[in-house]
């Protein structure tokens, strides 16, 4: 339990929040395309008798029509959705006893997005008629899957967040690939996916408020039990609480509230994280009071974010185009979560979570033989990929993409191995930590601001992005004493922040949107030797250096104290390793874009063969990563030839399936 020194004075707090409500609602109703005067709000017919049927828009002045049918339902929707997310955040944090859990952690956003995207392609009629049902179903299934997989690994609260991010990355890559492949059919879905509160009538409000009100009231009945669960599961059971039922029903209510929001307005992140912390900061120690105040604060936060999303374009370019509200909540929420990670008194329980997750070997093989087999398979696959179905005159087009796939896969595989060793958690990878996502963000911004930028410029942008992410993570590590779990959570925040800014570029309808989607999903298409040579040089130089440090990596995975006793300068060694990981990630992104899951899967595959020493793991992870990406490149060209599927899309889809099967097989273990 986190403690705060600010006393709770219910009357003054709720009175202050009510006054803020009045001000925010007034500003929201005045922030529109027609420059509405505040005096018009006094006798404006906000709720015409025809809200539920018919229309009197033709009998209203233009300003009155805009307020009544555009701004008012948008304002009400922001209040409803913010309240639902605030309440859901309290329930999730109480049920999981994880101060960093929120509705976004459950995979609701990713599940709803992938359901709508796939439904629009496979079942367009049903999705067009019942989009709420489709999004709701996808969100529920994904959320339950995330919790099931997280419980299959261990009871560590961080693993819940990491599993949610792993599933989100997989679904996000698939969504990005489908948006690129079916660009015309899925036009506009990325705006919805970024959290768009725009309304044209009261239909969404009418569909949402009964569900949100009903389940928020039901949640109050579980408040007392959640207070007792916060004392510990065993103590709560001693006091007569059915912990399993209470946690299950609380999570179910949170899922319903979150899914309702996503099905109506798209993906709104971090409101469910921030609102409960603000409520606790105002002195609400009991779940009952925190649930009520978090609902109020969540509504105010989302409405404020929506106002900012409408005001910023007006102030910057005098345009009445508005950003999606979900973009603004993520831009504010990710730094807030990173701030929480620096508060050691608030993350003490999380940082001292006992144990760590590992992987049990499926079988034991001689490491040297395994390396020989992997090398032979990689050479055979590269040969097939180079020489199959192509004339020798076109070899100059084929070899750069095959070699780039091989070297990028090797770089990502080794990067994932080093990160998993340093964090002592096999759910960490360059994409989850934010290194590749931030590099993609810098490349996307460079491509938009400077069209036609050359390969050298892309490489510099990628290095700058990964370097920026590395500096932030090292700063966070210094503030938290390099706690591996908090390092992983900081990477998740950075990855979410970067992905949201990338989404903003897509939402703005830039002419480079198709190119952005290619970089986002990862593709070897149109790779030239100008991109291949820098990647080749980085891999040839950095991988041998990492291999020569295999003894230090073996010792670092033993814990925090033994390396120091053995004479290793832990902080310097970790910083050096992270710099090399950031460089490898940057060069791979500059060559093939943001490929996910290679850095997660390659070390896993090597460990299930029984390898334990980094003397063998480093070359094995490099070869396995190359195998994964080269095979994905080959399949991307042959599955639906003459068309191509982004290779990053294939490896992400395969990574998600592999990840789920590995968890369900029980091969993850908890090491004490």
């Amino acid at each position: 339990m986190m403690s705060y020194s600010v006393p709770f004075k219910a009357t003054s707090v709720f009175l202050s929040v009510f006054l803020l409500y009045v001000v925010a609602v007034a500003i929201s109703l005045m922030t529109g395309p027609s420059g509405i005067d505040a005096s018009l709000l006094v006798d404006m017919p906000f709720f015409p008798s025809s809200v539920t049927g018919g229309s009197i828009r033709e009998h209203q002045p233009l300003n009155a029509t805009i307020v009544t049918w555009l701004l008012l339902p948008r304002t009400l929707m922001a209040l409803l959705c913010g309240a639902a997310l605030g309440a859901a955040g309290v329930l999730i944090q109480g049920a999981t006893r994880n101060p960093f859990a929120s509705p976004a952690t459950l995979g609701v956003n990713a599940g709803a997005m992938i359901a709508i995207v796939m439904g629009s392609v496979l079942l367009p009629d049903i999705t067009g008629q019942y989009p709420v049902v489709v999004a709701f179903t996808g969100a529920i299934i994904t959320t339950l899957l995330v919790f099931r997989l997280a419980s299959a690994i261990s009871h560590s609260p961080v693993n819940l967040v990491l599993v949610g991010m792993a599933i989100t990355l997989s679904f996000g890559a698939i969504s990005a690939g489908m948006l690129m492949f079916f660009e015309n059919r899925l036009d506009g879905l990325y705006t919805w996916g970024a959290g768009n509160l725009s309304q044209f009538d009261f239909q969404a409000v009418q569909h949402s408020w009964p569900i949100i009100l009903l389940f928020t009231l039901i949640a109050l009945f579980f408040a007392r039990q959640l207070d007792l669960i916060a004392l510990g599961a065993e103590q709560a059971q001693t006091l007569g609480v059915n912990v399993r039922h209470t946690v299950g029903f609380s999570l179910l209510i949170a899922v319903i509230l979150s899914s309702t929001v996503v099905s109506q307005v798209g993906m709104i992140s971090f409101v469910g994280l921030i609102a409960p912390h603000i409520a606790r900061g105002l002195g609400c120690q009991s779940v009952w009071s925190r649930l009520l105040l978090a609902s109020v604060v969540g509504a105010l936060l989302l409405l404020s974010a929506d106002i900012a999303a409408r005001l910023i374009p007006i102030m910057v370019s005098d345009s009445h185009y508005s950003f999606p509200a979900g973009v603004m909540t993520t831009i504010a929420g990710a730094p807030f979560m990173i701030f929480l990670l620096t508060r050691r008194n608030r993350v003490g329980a999380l940082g001292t979570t006992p144990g760590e997750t590992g992987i049990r070997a499926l079988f034991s093989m001689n490491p040297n033989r395994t390396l020989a087999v992997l090398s032979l398979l990689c050479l055979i696959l590269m040969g097939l990929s180079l020489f199959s179905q192509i004339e020798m005159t076109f070899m100059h087009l084929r070899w750069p993409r095959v070699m780039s796939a091989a070297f990028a896969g090797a770089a990502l595989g080794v990067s994932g191995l080093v990160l998993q060793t340093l964090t002592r958690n096999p759910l960490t990878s360059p994409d989850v930590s934010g290194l590749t996502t931030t590099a993609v963000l810098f490349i996307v911004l460079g491509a938009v601001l400077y069209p036609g930028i050359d390969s050298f410029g892309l490489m510099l942008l990628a290095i700058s992005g990964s370097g920026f992410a590395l500096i932030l993570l090292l700063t966070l590590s210094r503030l938290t004493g390099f706690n591996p779990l908090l390092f992983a959570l900081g990477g998740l925040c950075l990855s979410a922040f970067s992905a949201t800014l990338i989404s903003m570029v897509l939402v703005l309808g830039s002419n480079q949107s198709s190119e952005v989607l290619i970089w986002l999903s990862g593709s070897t298409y149109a790779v030239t030797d100008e991109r291949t040579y820098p990647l080749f040089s980085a891999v040839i130089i950095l991988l041998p250096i990492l291999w020569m440090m295999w003894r230090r990596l073996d010792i670092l995975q033993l814990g925090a104290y033994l390396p120091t006793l053995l004479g290793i300068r832990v902080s310097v060694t970790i910083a050096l390793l992270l710099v090399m990981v950031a460089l490898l990630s940057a060069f791979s992104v500059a060559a093939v874009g943001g490929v996910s899951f290679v850095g997660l899967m390659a070390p896993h595959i090597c460990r299930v063969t029984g390898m334990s020493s980094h003397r063998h793991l480093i070359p094995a992870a490099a070869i396995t990563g190359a195998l994964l990406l080269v095979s994905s490149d080959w399949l991307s060209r042959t599955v639906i030839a003459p068309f191509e599927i982004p290779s990053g899309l294939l490896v992400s889809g395969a990574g998600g399936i592999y990840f789920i099967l590995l968890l369900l097989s029980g091969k993850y273990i908890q090491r004490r």
Side-chain angles (χ1 to χ4, degrees):
M1 293 285 292
M2 295 179 290
S3 60
Y4 293 81
S5 59
V6 181
F8 176 57
K9 299 179 180 179
T11 304
S12 59
V13 169
F14 278 98
L15 180 60
S16 301
V17 172
F18 175 75
L19 293 176
L20 290 174
Y21 256 77
V22 173
V23 174
V25 169
I27 294 175
S28 178
L29 295 178
M30 289 186 293
T31 307
S34 59
I36 297 169
D37 214 320
S39 61
L40 295 174
L41 300 178
V42 178
D43 47 18
M44 187 73 69
F46 288 139
F47 294 97
S49 58
S50 58
V51 165
T52 58
S55 176
I56 61 169
R57 302 185 194 189
E58 63 272 12
H59 302 299
Q60 291 180 326
L62 177 60
N63 286 351
T65 300
I66 292 175
V67 172
T68 305
W69 296 100
L70 297 180
L71 299 181
L72 180 60
R74 180 171 185 152
T75 300
L76 293 176
M77 204 64 208
L79 295 174
L80 282 172
C81 294
L85 293 173
V90 172
L91 291 172
I92 294 170
Q93 293 179 11
T96 61
R97 288 185 293 167
N98 183 353
F100 300 100
S102 68
T105 303
L106 296 175
V108 173
N109 297 349
M113 183 69 177
I114 194 68
I116 290 291
V117 170
M118 296 186 69
S120 300
V121 174
L122 302 176
L123 301 169
D125 295 334
I126 295 177
T127 305
Q129 292 179 0
Y130 308 104
V132 175
V133 176
V134 174
F136 188 85
T137 303
I140 289 268
I141 293 175
T142 306
T143 301
L144 294 177
L145 177 65
V146 168
F147 271 97
R148 176 65 184 88
L149 296 179
S151 63
I153 302 176
S154 70
H155 297 292
S156 171
V158 175
N159 284 327
L160 176 66
V161 181
L162 293 176
V163 169
M165 176 56 81
I167 299 297
T168 299
L169 281 172
S170 179
F171 285 178
I174 295 173
S175 299
M178 296 188 71
L179 285 169
M180 179 180 65
F181 198 73
F182 301 97
E183 184 176 1
N184 295 329
R185 192 182 304 181
L186 300 177
D187 184 38
L189 277 183
Y190 228 106
T191 303
W192 173 85
N196 189 9
L197 289 170
S198 297
Q199 303 293 319
F200 302 101
D201 52 36
F202 291 88
Q203 184 176 0
V205 175
Q206 290 174 327
H207 289 167
S208 302
W209 79 262
I211 300 175
I212 293 173
L213 178 61
L214 174 63
F215 284 97
T216 302
L217 293 176
I218 293 175
L220 294 175
F221 289 99
F222 295 94
R224 179 60 180 168
Q225 290 91 324
L226 289 175
D227 281 330
L228 297 177
I229 289 176
L231 302 175
E234 295 181 358
Q235 190 168 354
Q237 284 181 338
T238 304
L239 296 173
V241 177
N242 190 324
V243 176
R244 184 174 181 180
H245 288 174
T246 301
V247 170
F249 280 116
S250 299
L251 293 176
L252 178 61
I253 293 171
V255 169
I256 293 173
L257 291 173
S258 304
S259 301
T260 302
V261 172
V262 175
S263 65
Q264 295 292 342
V265 300
M267 298 187 289
I268 305 290
S269 301
F270 286 102
V271 172
L273 171 73
I274 300 175
H277 281 279
I278 293 178
R280 192 188 289 270
L282 292 174
C284 296
Q285 298 300 319
S286 67
V287 174
W288 188 88
S289 60
R290 196 159 65 247
L291 187 67
L292 291 177
L293 188 56
S295 299
V296 175
V297 171
L300 187 59
L301 285 174
L302 187 53
L303 181 59
S304 302
D306 185 51
I307 293 172
R310 285 179 276 162
L311 283 177
I312 290 177
I314 295 176
M315 294 186 295
V316 173
S317 60
D318 197 23
S319 169
H320 290 288
Y321 177 86
S322 63
F323 294 125
V327 171
M328 303 305 298
T329 59
T330 303
I331 290 176
F336 179 84
M337 186 170 178
I338 292 177
F339 167 76
L340 290 178
L341 292 174
T342 64
R343 310 293 290 180
R344 296 190 183 187
N345 61 320
R346 302 186 184 184
V347 298
L350 184 65
T352 57
T353 301
E356 60 188 82
T357 56
I359 300 176
R360 183 184 292 112
L362 292 173
F363 48 86
S364 180
M365 293 180 59
N366 183 286
N368 294 323
R369 292 180 182 177
T370 303
L371 287 173
V373 171
L374 289 174
S375 301
L376 181 61
L377 287 175
C378 188
L379 290 174
I380 292 173
L381 186 59
M382 290 179 65
L384 289 174
S385 184
L386 275 172
F387 300 107
S388 63
Q389 299 176 344
I390 188 173
E391 297 181 10
M392 295 302 294
T393 54
F394 298 103
M395 185 59 64
H396 68 284
L397 300 176
R398 177 67 61 83
W399 80 263
R401 62 183 301 172
V402 174
M403 299 305 294
S404 293
F407 290 126
L412 292 173
V414 174
S415 297
L417 173 67
V418 174
L419 286 175
Q420 290 174 15
T421 299
L422 295 181
T423 61
R424 298 191 294 279
N425 195 317
L427 299 179
T428 311
S429 64
D431 42 359
V432 174
S433 65
L435 295 177
T436 58
T437 313
T438 310
V440 172
L441 170 63
F442 274 58
I443 288 178
V444 166
L445 292 176
V448 172
L449 297 176
Y450 304 100
I453 188 171
D454 58 12
S455 298
F456 182 74
L458 293 175
M459 180 186 65
L460 291 181
L461 288 171
I463 294 175
S464 300
S466 292
F468 176 74
L470 179 62
I471 291 173
L472 289 181
L473 293 177
L474 287 175
T475 303
L476 176 64
S477 298
R478 183 177 181 182
L479 294 174
T480 59
F482 197 79
N483 186 296
L485 301 181
L486 303 185
F487 179 89
L489 284 175
L492 294 180
C493 296
L494 188 59
S495 181
F497 184 82
S498 300
T500 300
L501 293 182
I502 294 171
S503 299
M504 184 185 294
V505 176
L506 292 168
V507 169
L508 290 175
S510 169
N511 294 330
Q512 290 82 17
S513 291
S514 297
E515 183 180 352
V516 169
L517 282 171
I518 292 176
W519 281 108
L520 188 59
S521 58
S523 177
T524 54
Y525 178 77
V527 172
T528 61
D529 17 356
E530 292 182 355
R531 295 187 194 175
T532 305
Y533 291 138
L535 175 62
F536 171 80
S537 303
V539 170
I540 292 299
I541 294 173
L542 295 176
L543 289 193
I545 296 176
L546 284 170
W547 184 81
M548 288 188 291
M549 300 178 68
W550 67 269
R551 292 184 185 275
R552 297 188 181 187
L553 285 167
D554 283 347
I555 296 174
L556 285 175
Q557 66 183 349
L558 298 177
Y561 302 106
L562 284 178
T564 303
L565 295 177
L566 294 174
I568 294 179
R569 300 178 61 184
V570 176
S571 58
V572 175
T573 303
I574 290 176
L576 178 60
L577 289 170
L578 288 176
V579 167
M580 288 189 284
V581 166
L583 287 173
L584 287 172
S585 302
F587 279 101
S588 67
V589 169
V592 299
V595 177
S596 302
F597 273 100
V598 171
L600 184 70
M601 293 172 60
H604 290 189
I605 296 173
C606 298
R607 290 187 186 278
V608 298
T609 64
M611 293 185 184
S612 58
S613 173
H614 286 79
R615 179 183 181 182
H616 304 112
L617 281 172
I618 290 176
I623 298 171
T624 305
L627 266 172
L628 289 172
L629 204 49
V630 170
S631 60
S632 297
D633 173 67
W634 182 41
L635 290 174
S636 70
R637 292 183 276 109
T638 57
V639 171
I640 56 173
F643 302 102
E644 286 197 21
I645 304 174
S647 53
L649 171 61
L650 287 178
V651 76
S652 296
I657 296 173
Y658 164 84
F659 187 67
I660 293 171
L661 292 177
L662 186 62
L663 292 175
L664 294 179
S665 66
K667 297 308 173 185
Y668 273 92
I669 60 175
Q670 183 80 10
R671 290 200 292 261
R672 299 290 178 180

